[in-house]
Amino acid sequence: MIQAQQSSLRRTEALDRLVGDLLSAPPSPSFSPSSVSLLSSALAASVERGISSPLEARLGEAGKQAEGRIRELCHREHERFVSSMSGVAKIQPLISSLQADVSSLTAEVVHVTGAEMRAAASSLSSQQLAASRAASLKAVLKLALQASTLLDEARHAADLGHLSAALDKVDAARSLLSSPLPPAACSPGQDTLASSEFGRHALSQMPAIEAGVLATSRRELNLWFLKVRSSLSRSCGEAALGLAAAAAARGPGGLGLGGAPAGFRWREEAADEACGCNSGTAGPNEGAEARLAEVAEPVRREAAAFVEGHLYAGAWGEAGAAELGGAPLAGLLVPALLAGPAAAAEMRGTLADLRGSTHPVHRARAAHELLQKEQDFRAYWDKNRYGSVKVGSGTSSLSSLVGSDVTKADDRAFHSKLLPTLVANVCGFSCIEASLALGSGAESAPPRPAAASNSAIYERGLISELGSLARSRLPSSSPPEIASASRLLAALCAALQAAHPGSPCRARDAESLRLPAGPCVDAFEEDQRVATRRVINEDRFEGVARGQPFPFGLDSPDAGQGDDAVNLTMEDDLDALDPTLARRKARRGDPKKEEAAPANPKGARHTFSDLVPNLLRSIHARCVLLAWAAKGQLDMAPQSEGWPSATLDFASRALAGYCAAVEEQFASADITDTYQISQAVQVAANMQALRSCAREFLTVVCRGLVACNVVRTGKATDALLGKLEATVATVQRACDRAEGAARDGAFSIARAKIDQLMSFSVDTALWCEKKARDEADEFVDVLVNFLRVTFGNVNVFKKVEKEGFCFGCCGHIASRLMGMVVNGAGDFAGMENGEVPSITKINSFGLQNLALDVAAFQTFADGCGVPQLSECFRELVCFTDALLDKELVSLCEESRADERMAKYSMLDLIKLKALLEKYEPMSLGTKLMGGKSSSVLMLEKKEVSKLMANIAKQV
């Protein structure tokens, strides 16, 4: 039941929808395809749903309703239609009258005024066409005039150098020529002004104007290139270097060495406390702040404070660096490039004007970019900016920068002229590149990536080549040149960082420009060896007069201040050693006349000669220079290896090198030809002085490193002071070895002189005298005088060393005297006695004379103040006493050996046998002529034979 109701309801709704669709369709005067299609679809749908019959019924009802409405409408409008038709009938006569009038007027117009109107219309049309063409031509002429004006203005702007304006006007003229013309002004094939004869002529002039613009830009660019190479690059580099060096000298907050002088005393006190020393003991440094305040330029004040901080100025004064070039040491520290007369304001003005001076580059680049010729500009720029060097080709960039071969200058010209020029130009190049990167105004644009890359590659090549060139010159450079080069490179590194911090090269500047410590120290040591040889050659081998102050404790007694200074110069002329010898030679007929001994009053002198202060001054000056070089390198790269302790190493090796040279000289075989005794003794005294002041000298060197900020951290200071102790010990051991070598050399020279004097004055043919002498032989006087002078000179030795020297000389004389009488016979037949010849024969009088000579030597030895020095001659005394003892024959019997040993304990039977072989028995007449010789032994020939036989049995 419910389903049937629902089905009926759905059929009713479907029927309503179909009827509504048919009735809502737009009316059509005939059966159009759309209406037919609509009706067909509706019928098909009704058949499918089974409602075709109700649909027909409903459509019929709808038709009847529509027919009724139509009838009602016709009835309502019929009255209105009838009323309208009556009105039309009333106006029919008027319409007929109007028709007649129109016909007559039309005939009049056609037959009377028609031709005139047609002519007027034709004339009007032609005039309108002419006016329109005239307006079009006027517009074309206006365009042409504008284009011509723009081209003229472009030429004028190009001539004035307004490149961008000229190119803008050319582009505007080209736009005018390519704009479409009015249709009335167009002719076939000419729709723009460019297609006209005027346009073609104008277009033909544009390349010439553009070429002129490029020529003008390149002309200005060439002038800029010329200015850069001639003066601009160097002047900008010098200004940047000067400002960077001044800023580095002042330090942060003005606390650097070149800053406020008030900070100098604080640094001094801090260094004294760190090193545990007192600057006043090493040299007066008072008034340093006042002296620094008088120096206005920070760079020069920094150098002066550096010298003051090393106590150099107080120790030696302004004359200390005379051997390094004749200028004050502070003047040697400052390169001429950084000490120019230009003021800071002038330098800043030079750099401030740099940006404005680069406008030719930016204008030329803009002109080429507007003309789409960037590649041409880049090629032209690379060719002229980087010279003949192809970027990245590996050829010399520095040579292209300065326009000359940088490898042909000698060492002196390199450091004095070429290196400052190269540094200034490299810095100027970076300044200009930085200015180009910043631009110069509205026309500027950031550089292209290729340009920045080429600039960085070329700049990196310049810096790397400059560093390599400076390092290659180190072995042949002098200390002032190395110090100046280090300071210049440090200033260059700082100036590059300040002028062009955005360059990709900045991260590698310090690595490229650094100078290794090893080659620098080697060059300093080689120069110091030359200076040491010069100091040695200039040494006068005499003590320095007192009264003048000396640093490093040289004034202390331990350094050799006393009355025992070496003040006698030994001369080659042996007569000058002993006036007595000269007198005796004159009595013997020697043509050489008597000469007085040279007067050498001692005076007040130190034991050390001027070699010691000269050597220390020489080493100290180079220490300051090396420390200055180290400071420059540490300013560039604080982690540079080897530099903090390089100065101390150099000072110790310089002192040890001099000691080694002394040791080597005294170890040579020709020492007796090179030195005199007084000179060797003076060298030993100098070594004593060097040893005594080595600690304070090296401490002052370390103190200067701390005070002048070369050693910059507490850890580094502790390491340096820890190394100081080992260094002092090494130097003192070297001084001890050299002093020992000098003492040994003095003893060797003394022995050689003794041999020379004995060979010169001992007459071996006079030992068979006919009578005994009353006094010692003259050769004894010669040797005694020689020993007296020599022993006076060795008073500078320590007590033990002096006594050892005296024992050695007296023992050598005793040995030579013994060898003179025994060598050449018996067991000593093949032995030599140096330069002293051996006697061939000796008699009893000769033995008495020998005993007298030995006694004279003993007397001298006892008077020297050296305990037991006369014991050196005891064997000779025992030997001569035994030979003059009348009981000698019986004492030499084997049965009395103990008695003989008790009486003559040092008698050597072998030497006695050798002398007996030379013994010459005397004749009776000689014995009688001897007079006082009756109390001494005078052997006969048979007694000599018996005595030798007894000795032979016992030995």
Side-chain angles (χ1 to χ4, degrees), residues 564-565 567-568 570 577-581 583 597 602 677-678 681 750 754 757 778-796 802 805-806 809-810 813 856-866 869:
D564 296 329
N567 56 13
L568 178 61
M570 304 294 289
L577 295 175
D578 182 28
T580 305
L581 177 61
R583 290 195 299 270
K602 290 186 177 181
I677 297 176
S678 61
V681 173
I754 290 172
L757 292 173
E778 55 192 26
F779 88 89
V780 177
D781 294 337
V782 172
L783 289 177
V784 167
N785 287 333
F786 170 76
L787 292 177
R788 182 178 294 110
V789 173
T790 302
F791 292 172
N793 283 334
V794 298
N795 283 333
V796 297
K802 175 186 175 182
F805 184 88
C806 295
C809 290
C810 291
I813 293 176
F857 281 121
Q858 276 192 310
T859 302
F860 167 74
D862 290 335
C864 287
V866 179
L869 182 60

Side-chain angles (χ1 to χ4, degrees), residues 887-898:
E887 296 182 357
L888 177 63
V889 178
S890 61
L891 287 174
C892 287
E893 293 179 357
E894 188 173 358
S895 60
R896 299 185 65 181
D898 293 339

Side-chain angles (χ1 to χ4, degrees), residues 312 320-327 329 332 479-480 527 534 618 621-622 625:
Y312 189 87
E323 52 121 5
L324 289 172
L329 189 59
L332 296 178
D527 187 78
R534 182 171 59 250
S618 175
R622 285 164 179 81
L625 291 173

Side-chain angles (χ1 to χ4, degrees), residues 622-770:
R622 285 164 179 81
C623 286
V624 176
L625 291 173
L626 185 57
W628 181 257
K631 183 179 183 300
Q633 295 304 303
L634 292 172
D635 287 343
M636 281 198 299
Q639 304 300 325
S640 297
E641 296 181 357
W643 278 111
S645 61
T647 305
L648 179 61
D649 294 339
F650 163 75
S652 63
R653 285 202 286 264
L655 290 173
Y658 169 69
C659 296
V662 170
E663 190 175 356
E664 182 180 356
Q665 284 182 348
F666 281 99
S668 61
D670 58 346
I671 184 64
T672 56
D673 299 330
T674 306
Y675 284 94
Q676 298 176 6
I677 297 176
S678 61
Q679 294 176 337
V681 173
Q682 183 65 70
V683 171
N686 291 342
M687 299 314 303
Q688 291 178 2
L690 279 179
R691 188 191 189 286
S692 65
C693 69
R695 175 177 295 277
E696 187 162 355
F697 174 72
L698 295 176
T699 302
V700 167
V701 171
C702 293
R703 178 197 172 281
L705 298 177
V706 176
C708 297
N709 204 28
V710 179
V711 178
R712 307 185 176 192
T713 62
K715 184 177 180 181
T717 302
D718 294 340
L720 182 69
L721 297 180
K723 187 176 182 179
L724 173 64
E725 295 301 322
T727 303
V728 170
T730 301
V731 172
Q732 289 181 343
R733 285 194 299 268
C735 292
D736 291 338
R737 290 194 300 269
E739 182 184 357
R743 288 198 306 269
D744 295 342
F747 181 63
S748 299
I749 298 171
R751 289 190 304 175
K753 291 292 184 181
I754 290 172
D755 291 346
Q756 183 181 3
L757 292 173
M758 291 183 70
S759 66
F760 177 75
S761 57
V762 175
D763 191 351
T764 59
L766 299 178
W767 292 99
C768 291
E769 296 281 359
K770 294 182 179 181

Side-chain angles (χ1 to χ4, degrees), residues 304-338:
F306 197 86
V307 175
E308 296 277 1
H310 279 81
L311 303 179
Y312 189 87
W316 307 110
E318 292 297 332
E323 52 121 5
L324 289 172
L329 189 59
L332 296 178
L333 299 181
V334 182
L337 183 63
L338 304 181

